[in-house]
């Protein structure tokens, strides 16, 4: 078996295992999120990003569709990047946002702080803040990550997303990834847990 085949199996087998966990775990809901992303450097230090995401129920029914367009700006000796973007959802929400990614630790183990402020334009406009801490490392060519993200709006703390992910760069252009997320919502009232399995591919053009 070639090393490339072993690494592809390293992505596929955890994804299957995560899917089985999400299918059998006791939760109020379980979903599969499929994501395709593409990015390209406009000029050195400025990157254009496009992402399409489909959120499916455990019976493969389409729940929501998200389209995201953003520009990432590098700054301060690669210690921080700033992102300005816009997300549209299939339930008629328009969501302009601005975010910052701060590198707290780099090397064999990385640690990042990711913050985003969103304007949710629906029937009633509202602001929402998102803050995540993301730890990552590379083992045998696989990018492993562990993150926790909290969501805060006018009602206070509303969501928490704890995520375990794995990714692999097939070549300089194409990468694939999978993740499992425990998604807790309704923290300001009565909380509900959902299990989410994610599968994705990303193109670097």
């Amino acid at each position: 078996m070639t090393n490339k085949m072993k690494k592809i199996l390293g992505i596929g087998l955890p994804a299957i295992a995560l899917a089985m966990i999400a299918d059998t775990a006791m939760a109020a809901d379980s979903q599969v999120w499929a994501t395709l992303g593409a990015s390209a450097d406009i000029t050195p230090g400025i990157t254009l990003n496009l992402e399409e995401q489909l959120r499916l129920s455990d019976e493969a029914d389409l729940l929501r569709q998200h389209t995201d367009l953003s520009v990432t700006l590098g700054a301060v000796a690669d210690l921080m990047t700033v992102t300005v973007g816009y997300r549209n959802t299939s339930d008629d929400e328009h969501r302009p946002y601005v975010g910052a990614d701060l590198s707290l630790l780099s090397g064999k183990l990385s640690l990042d702080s990711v913050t985003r402020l969103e304007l949710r334009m629906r029937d009633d406009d509202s602001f929402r803040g998102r803050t995540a801490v993301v730890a990552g490392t590379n083992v045998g060519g696989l990018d492993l990550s562990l993150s926790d993200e909290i969501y805060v709006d006018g009602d206070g703390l509303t969501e928490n997303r704890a995520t375990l992910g794995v990714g692999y760069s097939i070549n300089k252009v194409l990468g694939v990834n999978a993740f499992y997320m425990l998604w807790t919502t309704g923290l300001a009232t009565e909380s509900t847990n959902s299990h989410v399995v994610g599968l994705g591919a990303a193109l670097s053009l």
Side-chain angles (χ1 to χ4, degrees):
M1 183 180 293
T2 65
N3 288 334
K4 180 173 288 188
M5 181 62 68
K6 290 180 180 178
K7 291 175 179 178
I8 292 174
L9 289 175
I11 291 287
L13 293 179
I16 293 171
L18 292 177
M20 294 175 63
I21 291 171
D23 186 56
T24 58
M26 295 299 294
D29 187 23
S30 58
Q31 299 182 18
V32 176
W33 294 3
T35 305
L36 176 61
S39 63
D41 291 336
I42 302 174
T43 62
I46 301 178
T47 303
L48 178 66
N49 313 289
L50 177 63
E51 181 182 279
E52 190 73 16
Q53 183 181 81
L54 301 179
R55 299 186 178 183
L56 309 172
S57 72
D58 52 10
E59 297 179 350
D61 296 321
L62 179 62
L63 301 175
R64 294 179 71 178
Q65 177 181 1
H66 289 207
T67 302
D68 194 296
L69 179 65
S70 66
V71 174
T72 300
L73 311 173
V76 194
D78 296 328
L79 295 179
M80 183 179 72
T81 58
V82 175
T83 300
V84 178
Y86 164 77
R87 173 165 286 213
N88 175 261
T89 71
S90 57
D91 55 358
D92 295 325
E93 179 181 331
H94 302 277
R95 194 186 303 171
Y97 62 87
V98 60
D101 185 335
L102 180 63
S103 177
L104 304 176
L105 183 66
S106 61
K108 292 183 178 180
L109 177 65
S110 64
L111 186 65
D112 295 325
S113 171
V114 182
T115 303
R116 179 184 292 184
L117 179 63
E118 303 172 327
L119 173 60
R120 307 184 71 184
M121 302 171 65
R122 300 181 292 185
D123 295 334
D124 296 320
D125 296 347
S126 63
F127 284 95
R128 182 173 70 176
R130 303 168 52 173
T131 301
V133 175
V134 184
T137 189
N138 186 280
V139 178
L142 297 177
D143 296 314
L144 306 179
S145 64
L146 178 65
S147 68
D148 191 70
E149 184 175 29
I150 60 172
Y151 287 64
V152 179
D153 62 16
D155 295 324
L157 179 62
T158 59
E159 292 186 31
N160 186 84
R161 300 183 181 184
T163 305
L164 176 65
V166 58
Y168 172 62
S169 296
I170 296 175
N171 51 43
K172 293 183 179 180
V173 175
L174 177 62
V176 293
N177 61 81
F179 68 82
Y180 165 74
M181 177 172 65
L182 178 61
W183 182 17
T184 305
T185 58
L187 292 177
T189 53
E190 184 177 351
S191 63
T192 300
N193 289 328
S194 300
H195 294 285
V196 179
V197 169
L199 301 172
L203 298 172
S204 297
L205 306 177

